[in-house]
Amino acid sequence: MTKMSALERRYRRLLAWYPAQHRHAHGEEMIGVLLASAQDGQRRPRLPDALDLALGGLRIRARAALAGRFGPGVTDALAVYSRAIPVMWMLILLAWGAAIAWGMLRSGAPGAFALAAPIVPLLLCAAFPLALAWRGRRAAAVAVALLPAALFTCVAFWAPSSGLASADSLFAVLQVVALAASPGPRRGARVMTRWTWGVVCAAGLAGAIPLYAIIFGWMSGGAGALAFAAVALTAAAGLLLTMPKPVAARLIAMLTAPVYLSGLAILTADQFIAGPSGLDIASFAIVYVPALVLAVLIAVLGRAGPRRRLGQTG
Amino acid sequence: MSKQTLQEPTFLILTALAAGPQHGYGIMIDVAQISGDRVRLRAGTLYAALDRLRGDGLVDADREEIVDGRLRRYYRLTPTGSRRLAEEAERLRANASVATSRLRKLAAGFAGGTA
C-alpha cells in the first residue's frame, strides 16, 4: 500500500510540530485519525489540515512550555493577577483621588487638581481590559491593555523621577502579560477565595497610606518605608494562607516587582523634589536594575519548581 | 462562581463524549453530525482541545485498542466534565428560550399590530 505510506510519511513529518512527549503519547493514534479522515487515493495532506496540525502543535508546545518551565502555579497566579490587580490598582487610584480632594478642601488650592487629572484615564486603563477579559474577549483585552502599558513604560523611561508613572507602567505591563498568558480573570476569580479578596483590598488600601503620607509630607521617608514593608509582609502572609501555596508563592514574586518598585520610586521622587535633576539617571538605575534582578529571580524560582510532567523535554 | 463560556468546538466535543467513550475519529464524525456538518473538526484542533480538556480535568483517557494494527485511544467525560457541560447547556438553553419567546412576541406584534 505505497500510496497510504506516502501520505502517512507526510503526516508523520507534520507531527514534528508537536513536542516529543506528546508524539510518544499520542502520535500513533493521531496518525490513525488523520488516515481515517483522509480520502481514498489521497497522497498529500490538504493545506488546511497541514496548517491545523502546525497550529495545534504550536499551541500544545506553548501550553507545555509555560506549565513545565514555571510550574503549574504560574498560569493560576497570572489569572489571579489579571483579576485582582486591576481592582487593587483602581482602589489605590481612588484613594489617591480622595487624598487629593481632602487636601484641596483643607488648603483650598485648586492647583492640586492637576495631580488628580490622570486618575480617570488610569482607572479606565485598569477597568476596561478587565471588563473585556471578563466577558471572554481576551484578545481585545490584551490589545486594549497594550497601549497604556507601552505609553507608561515610555513615560517611566523618560521621566523616572515621576514615581507614580513607574508604578503605573509596571501595573500596566504586568496586566498585559497576565491577560495574555493566563486563562483570564474568571479563572483567577475561581482560584481566589473571599479571604484572598479581603487580603488584596486591605493591602491595596493600607499600602497606599504610607505612600501618600510620604508625598504629602505627613510621614518621613524612612518611617513610611517601614510601614510599607510591614503592610507588604502581612499581605504576603495573607496570600499564602488563603490560596494554594504554589499559586500564592508565584503571585507574591510577581507582586513584589510593582509594589517594591512603586515604593522605591516614590521615595526617590521624594529625594528629587529638592535635589538636582542630573540625578535622574541614577534614579532610573535604582528603579529598574532591581526590576531586572526580580525578573531573573522569578525565572530561577520557576525553574526550580516541581516538574509535574514526566519526560518533559522543556 | 461564574466561569468563562465554552467555545463551540469544545462544547461539541464534550457533547460527543456525553454519549459514551469515543476515539478521536469517532469524536470528529459525531461533532460533524451534531452540528449538521457546520463544525468540522480537524485533527490538530481536536488534539489541542483534548490536551486542554485533559489538563482541566474535564476529559480522561478511557482505554486503548489495536485496530488494523493501529493504536486507537478512547476518551471519556469525567464527572467534572459532565457537570461543566450541563452548566453550559443550561446557560445556552436559558438564553435561547428568552430569545425565542421575545421573537414570538415580536412576530405576534407584526401580525396583529397597527398597519
Side-chain angles (χ1 to χ4, degrees):
Chain A
M1 303 286 284
T2 28
K3 281 183 189 169
M4 274 304 243
S5 30
L7 183 62
E8 184 177 332
R9 257 186 285 120
R10 292 185 172 115
Y11 277 136
R12 280 189 194 279
R13 253 183 270 151
L14 281 169
L15 283 186
W17 286 103
Y18 289 78
Q21 194 241 353
H22 182 94
R23 278 202 307 273
H24 288 145
H26 299 282
E28 288 307 315
E29 88 185 78
M30 284 186 75
I31 295 287
V33 170
L34 286 163
L35 291 173
S37 54
Q39 280 158 357
D40 286 333
Q42 188 179 334
R43 300 198 61 196
R44 317 190 91 89
R46 280 170 296 214
L47 185 61
D49 291 330
L51 284 172
D52 181 70
L53 276 174
L55 275 173
L58 287 175
R59 221 180 280 164
I60 290 183
R61 271 185 193 272
R63 214 178 291 143
L66 195 67
R69 205 169 275 280
F70 292 101
V74 156
T75 44
D76 277 351
L78 284 171
V80 169
Y81 198 93
S82 71
R83 178 71 182 102
I85 298 316
V87 173
M88 198 158 108
W89 191 11
M90 286 190 277
L91 274 175
I92 291 179
L93 288 170
L94 288 169
W96 176 237
I100 291 175
W102 190 58
M104 274 171 62
L105 283 172
R106 284 191 65 196
S107 61
F113 184 69
L115 284 169
I119 288 183
V120 171
L122 284 174
L123 281 170
L124 286 175
C125 290
F128 199 24
L130 176 63
L132 280 172
W134 188 261
R135 298 194 147 279
R137 314 263 298 278
R138 216 146 53 82
V142 171
V144 165
L146 211 47
L147 183 60
L151 268 171
F152 290 147
T153 313
C154 292
V155 168
F157 270 94
W158 273 308
S161 58
S162 56
L164 279 174
S166 318
D168 287 317
S169 77
L170 278 156
F171 275 123
V173 166
L174 283 163
Q175 183 180 19
V176 168
V177 171
L179 284 171
S182 77
R186 283 185 185 262
R187 169 86 188 142
R190 261 191 293 160
V191 173
M192 295 171 71
T193 64
R194 278 196 202 93
W195 294 107
T196 319
W197 273 115
V199 169
V200 166
C201 294
L205 290 169
I209 293 172
L211 292 183
Y212 303 145
I214 295 170
I215 291 176
F216 287 117
W218 307 326
M219 210 189 267
S220 75
L226 278 174
F228 194 71
V231 171
L233 283 170
T234 316
L239 287 175
L240 279 168
L241 285 170
T242 60
M243 281 196 296
K245 281 195 183 32
V247 180
R250 281 166 180 83
L251 188 63
I252 290 166
M254 279 186 260
L255 280 176
T256 310
V259 168
Y260 166 74
L261 288 164
S262 67
L264 193 57
I266 297 288
L267 291 174
T268 48
D270 179 55
Q271 300 287 323
F272 293 122
I273 287 171
S277 60
L279 286 168
D280 277 351
I281 296 178
S283 73
F284 178 90
I286 289 170
V287 168
Y288 282 95
V289 165
L292 281 171
V293 171
L294 275 165
V296 169
L297 272 175
I298 291 171
V300 167
L301 274 173
R303 277 186 179 278
R307 295 275 170 123
R308 297 279 175 90
R309 290 182 178 216
L310 292 173
Q312 184 68 38
T313 51
Chain B
M1 279 278 185
S2 50
K3 295 180 163 84
Q4 208 162 8
T5 57
L6 285 177
Q7 290 193 322
E8 191 179 13
T10 312
F11 180 85
L12 291 169
I13 292 172
L14 292 175
T15 306
L17 290 174
Q22 290 199 60
H23 59 284
Y25 187 57
I27 297 174
M28 283 166 76
I29 303 275
D30 205 356
V31 163
Q33 194 233 334
I34 295 170
S35 68
D37 228 21
R38 202 172 28 89
V39 177
R40 260 174 294 173
L41 278 180
R42 297 185 206 276
T45 314
L46 172 65
Y47 275 88
L50 285 173
D51 181 70
R52 194 181 60 242
L53 289 168
R54 288 178 79 182
D56 289 344
L58 302 181
V59 150
D60 217 349
D62 187 60
R63 68 180 189 277
E64 287 158 28
E65 285 176 2
I66 306 283
V67 178
D68 291 336
R70 286 214 187 276
L71 177 72
R72 193 187 270 186
R73 185 174 281 120
Y74 288 76
Y75 294 90
R76 66 157 187 270
L77 209 57
T78 61
T80 316
S82 73
R83 241 178 293 134
R84 185 81 181 84
L85 179 64
E87 284 167 12
E88 190 67 17
E90 174 52 35
R91 190 190 67 82
L92 290 168
R93 190 208 61 79
N95 287 353
S97 125
V98 171
T100 316
S101 69
R102 289 190 186 186
L103 284 167
R104 226 178 277 137
K105 286 192 197 128
L106 196 67
F110 283 145
T114 55

